[in-house]
mmCIF file with all atom_site columns, all heavy atoms in Angstrom:
data_model
loop_
_atom_site.group_PDB
_atom_site.id
_atom_site.type_symbol
_atom_site.label_atom_id
_atom_site.label_alt_id
_atom_site.label_comp_id
_atom_site.label_asym_id
_atom_site.label_entity_id
_atom_site.label_seq_id
_atom_site.pdbx_PDB_ins_code
_atom_site.Cartn_x
_atom_site.Cartn_y
_atom_site.Cartn_z
_atom_site.occupancy
_atom_site.B_iso_or_equiv
_atom_site.pdbx_formal_charge
_atom_site.auth_seq_id
_atom_site.auth_comp_id
_atom_site.auth_asym_id
_atom_site.auth_atom_id
_atom_site.pdbx_PDB_model_num
ATOM 1  N N   . GLY A 1 194 ? 30.908 3.766  -2.109  1.00 94.00 ? 204 GLY A N   1
ATOM 2  C CA  . GLY A 1 194 ? 32.068 4.204  -2.869  1.00 94.00 ? 204 GLY A CA  1
ATOM 3  C C   . GLY A 1 194 ? 32.190 3.625  -4.258  1.00 94.00 ? 204 GLY A C   1
ATOM 4  O O   . GLY A 1 194 ? 33.073 4.022  -5.021  1.00 94.00 ? 204 GLY A O   1
ATOM 5  N N   . GLN A 1 195 ? 31.313 2.699  -4.617  1.00 96.00 ? 205 GLN A N   1
ATOM 6  C CA  . GLN A 1 195 ? 31.319 2.112  -5.958  1.00 96.00 ? 205 GLN A CA  1
ATOM 7  C C   . GLN A 1 195 ? 30.111 2.622  -6.730  1.00 96.00 ? 205 GLN A C   1
ATOM 8  O O   . GLN A 1 195 ? 29.021 2.781  -6.163  1.00 96.00 ? 205 GLN A O   1
ATOM 9  C CB  . GLN A 1 195 ? 31.288 0.584  -5.874  1.00 96.00 ? 205 GLN A CB  1
ATOM 10 C CG  . GLN A 1 195 ? 31.496 -0.115 -7.209  1.00 96.00 ? 205 GLN A CG  1
ATOM 11 C CD  . GLN A 1 195 ? 31.609 -1.622 -7.052  1.00 96.00 ? 205 GLN A CD  1
ATOM 12 O OE1 . GLN A 1 195 ? 31.385 -2.156 -5.967  1.00 96.00 ? 205 GLN A OE1 1
ATOM 13 N NE2 . GLN A 1 195 ? 31.963 -2.312 -8.114  1.00 96.00 ? 205 GLN A NE2 1
ATOM 14 N N   . LEU A 1 196 ? 30.280 2.875  -8.025  1.00 98.00 ? 206 LEU A N   1
ATOM 15 C CA  . LEU A 1 196 ? 29.210 3.436  -8.840  1.00 98.00 ? 206 LEU A CA  1
ATOM 16 C C   . LEU A 1 196 ? 28.800 2.466  -9.948  1.00 98.00 ? 206 LEU A C   1
ATOM 17 O O   . LEU A 1 196 ? 29.650 1.851  -10.598 1.00 98.00 ? 206 LEU A O   1
ATOM 18 C CB  . LEU A 1 196 ? 29.645 4.764  -9.467  1.00 98.00 ? 206 LEU A CB  1
ATOM 19 C CG  . LEU A 1 196 ? 30.028 5.898  -8.509  1.00 98.00 ? 206 LEU A CG  1
ATOM 20 C CD1 . LEU A 1 196 ? 30.474 7.117  -9.304  1.00 98.00 ? 206 LEU A CD1 1
ATOM 21 C CD2 . LEU A 1 196 ? 28.869 6.250  -7.578  1.00 98.00 ? 206 LEU A CD2 1
ATOM 22 N N   . PHE A 1 197 ? 27.484 2.353  -10.155 1.00 98.00 ? 207 PHE A N   1
ATOM 23 C CA  . PHE A 1 197 ? 26.918 1.567  -11.250 1.00 98.00 ? 207 PHE A CA  1
ATOM 24 C C   . PHE A 1 197 ? 26.011 2.509  -12.047 1.00 98.00 ? 207 PHE A C   1
ATOM 25 O O   . PHE A 1 197 ? 24.958 2.927  -11.552 1.00 98.00 ? 207 PHE A O   1
ATOM 26 C CB  . PHE A 1 197 ? 26.112 0.382  -10.730 1.00 98.00 ? 207 PHE A CB  1
ATOM 27 C CG  . PHE A 1 197 ? 26.920 -0.593 -9.917  1.00 98.00 ? 207 PHE A CG  1
ATOM 28 C CD1 . PHE A 1 197 ? 27.052 -0.428 -8.541  1.00 98.00 ? 207 PHE A CD1 1
ATOM 29 C CD2 . PHE A 1 197 ? 27.548 -1.670 -10.525 1.00 98.00 ? 207 PHE A CD2 1
ATOM 30 C CE1 . PHE A 1 197 ? 27.789 -1.326 -7.785  1.00 98.00 ? 207 PHE A CE1 1
ATOM 31 C CE2 . PHE A 1 197 ? 28.289 -2.572 -9.778  1.00 98.00 ? 207 PHE A CE2 1
ATOM 32 C CZ  . PHE A 1 197 ? 28.423 -2.403 -8.402  1.00 98.00 ? 207 PHE A CZ  1
ATOM 33 N N   . ALA A 1 198 ? 26.406 2.827  -13.258 1.00 98.00 ? 208 ALA A N   1
ATOM 34 C CA  . ALA A 1 198 ? 25.641 3.776  -14.075 1.00 98.00 ? 208 ALA A CA  1
ATOM 35 C C   . ALA A 1 198 ? 24.810 3.027  -15.112 1.00 98.00 ? 208 ALA A C   1
ATOM 36 O O   . ALA A 1 198 ? 25.272 2.060  -15.728 1.00 98.00 ? 208 ALA A O   1
ATOM 37 C CB  . ALA A 1 198 ? 26.580 4.757  -14.763 1.00 98.00 ? 208 ALA A CB  1
ATOM 38 N N   . THR A 1 199 ? 23.570 3.480  -15.303 1.00 97.00 ? 209 THR A N   1
ATOM 39 C CA  . THR A 1 199 ? 22.666 2.887  -16.281 1.00 97.00 ? 209 THR A CA  1
ATOM 40 C C   . THR A 1 199 ? 22.146 3.978  -17.206 1.00 97.00 ? 209 THR A C   1
ATOM 41 O O   . THR A 1 199 ? 21.561 4.962  -16.745 1.00 97.00 ? 209 THR A O   1
ATOM 42 C CB  . THR A 1 199 ? 21.477 2.201  -15.594 1.00 97.00 ? 209 THR A CB  1
ATOM 43 O OG1 . THR A 1 199 ? 21.955 1.206  -14.688 1.00 97.00 ? 209 THR A OG1 1
ATOM 44 C CG2 . THR A 1 199 ? 20.560 1.554  -16.622 1.00 97.00 ? 209 THR A CG2 1
ATOM 45 N N   . ARG A 1 200 ? 22.365 3.800  -18.480 1.00 96.00 ? 210 ARG A N   1
ATOM 46 C CA  . ARG A 1 200 ? 21.885 4.741  -19.488 1.00 96.00 ? 210 ARG A CA  1
ATOM 47 C C   . ARG A 1 200 ? 20.468 4.360  -19.892 1.00 96.00 ? 210 ARG A C   1
ATOM 48 O O   . ARG A 1 200 ? 20.188 3.177  -20.140 1.00 96.00 ? 210 ARG A O   1
ATOM 49 C CB  . ARG A 1 200 ? 22.811 4.725  -20.705 1.00 96.00 ? 210 ARG A CB  1
ATOM 50 C CG  . ARG A 1 200 ? 22.513 5.803  -21.752 1.00 96.00 ? 210 ARG A CG  1
ATOM 51 C CD  . ARG A 1 200 ? 23.498 5.683  -22.909 1.00 96.00 ? 210 ARG A CD  1
ATOM 52 N NE  . ARG A 1 200 ? 23.357 6.771  -23.870 1.00 96.00 ? 210 ARG A NE  1
ATOM 53 C CZ  . ARG A 1 200 ? 24.012 7.916  -23.784 1.00 96.00 ? 210 ARG A CZ  1
ATOM 54 N NH1 . ARG A 1 200 ? 24.873 8.106  -22.774 1.00 96.00 ? 210 ARG A NH1 1
ATOM 55 N NH2 . ARG A 1 200 ? 23.832 8.867  -24.678 1.00 96.00 ? 210 ARG A NH2 1
ATOM 56 N N   . ILE A 1 201 ? 19.578 5.327  -19.944 1.00 95.00 ? 211 ILE A N   1
ATOM 57 C CA  . ILE A 1 201 ? 18.166 5.045  -20.205 1.00 95.00 ? 211 ILE A CA  1
ATOM 58 C C   . ILE A 1 201 ? 17.709 5.807  -21.437 1.00 95.00 ? 211 ILE A C   1
ATOM 59 O O   . ILE A 1 201 ? 17.807 7.037  -21.500 1.00 95.00 ? 211 ILE A O   1
ATOM 60 C CB  . ILE A 1 201 ? 17.297 5.458  -18.997 1.00 95.00 ? 211 ILE A CB  1
ATOM 61 C CG1 . ILE A 1 201 ? 17.744 4.687  -17.753 1.00 95.00 ? 211 ILE A CG1 1
ATOM 62 C CG2 . ILE A 1 201 ? 15.830 5.204  -19.271 1.00 95.00 ? 211 ILE A CG2 1
ATOM 63 C CD1 . ILE A 1 201 ? 17.835 5.502  -16.525 1.00 95.00 ? 211 ILE A CD1 1
ATOM 64 N N   . GLU A 1 202 ? 17.224 5.078  -22.420 1.00 92.00 ? 212 GLU A N   1
ATOM 65 C CA  . GLU A 1 202 ? 16.674 5.674  -23.629 1.00 92.00 ? 212 GLU A CA  1
ATOM 66 C C   . GLU A 1 202 ? 15.172 5.422  -23.640 1.00 92.00 ? 212 GLU A C   1
ATOM 67 O O   . GLU A 1 202 ? 14.728 4.272  -23.564 1.00 92.00 ? 212 GLU A O   1
ATOM 68 C CB  . GLU A 1 202 ? 17.342 5.074  -24.857 1.00 92.00 ? 212 GLU A CB  1
ATOM 69 C CG  . GLU A 1 202 ? 18.849 5.341  -24.905 1.00 92.00 ? 212 GLU A CG  1
ATOM 70 C CD  . GLU A 1 202 ? 19.516 4.648  -26.076 1.00 92.00 ? 212 GLU A CD  1
ATOM 71 O OE1 . GLU A 1 202 ? 19.259 5.066  -27.221 1.00 92.00 ? 212 GLU A OE1 1
ATOM 72 O OE2 . GLU A 1 202 ? 20.268 3.692  -25.823 1.00 92.00 ? 212 GLU A OE2 1
ATOM 73 N N   . THR A 1 203 ? 14.403 6.498  -23.750 1.00 87.00 ? 213 THR A N   1
ATOM 74 C CA  . THR A 1 203 ? 12.948 6.379  -23.677 1.00 87.00 ? 213 THR A CA  1
ATOM 75 C C   . THR A 1 203 ? 12.300 7.475  -24.505 1.00 87.00 ? 213 THR A C   1
ATOM 76 O O   . THR A 1 203 ? 12.923 8.505  -24.809 1.00 87.00 ? 213 THR A O   1
ATOM 77 C CB  . THR A 1 203 ? 12.465 6.462  -22.221 1.00 87.00 ? 213 THR A CB  1
ATOM 78 O OG1 . THR A 1 203 ? 11.053 6.265  -22.165 1.00 87.00 ? 213 THR A OG1 1
ATOM 79 C CG2 . THR A 1 203 ? 12.794 7.819  -21.619 1.00 87.00 ? 213 THR A CG2 1
#
Side-chain angles (χ1 to χ4, degrees):
Q205 188 174 8
L206 299 178
F207 299 89
T209 303
R210 188 180 186 89
I211 301 137
E212 298 176 69
T213 183

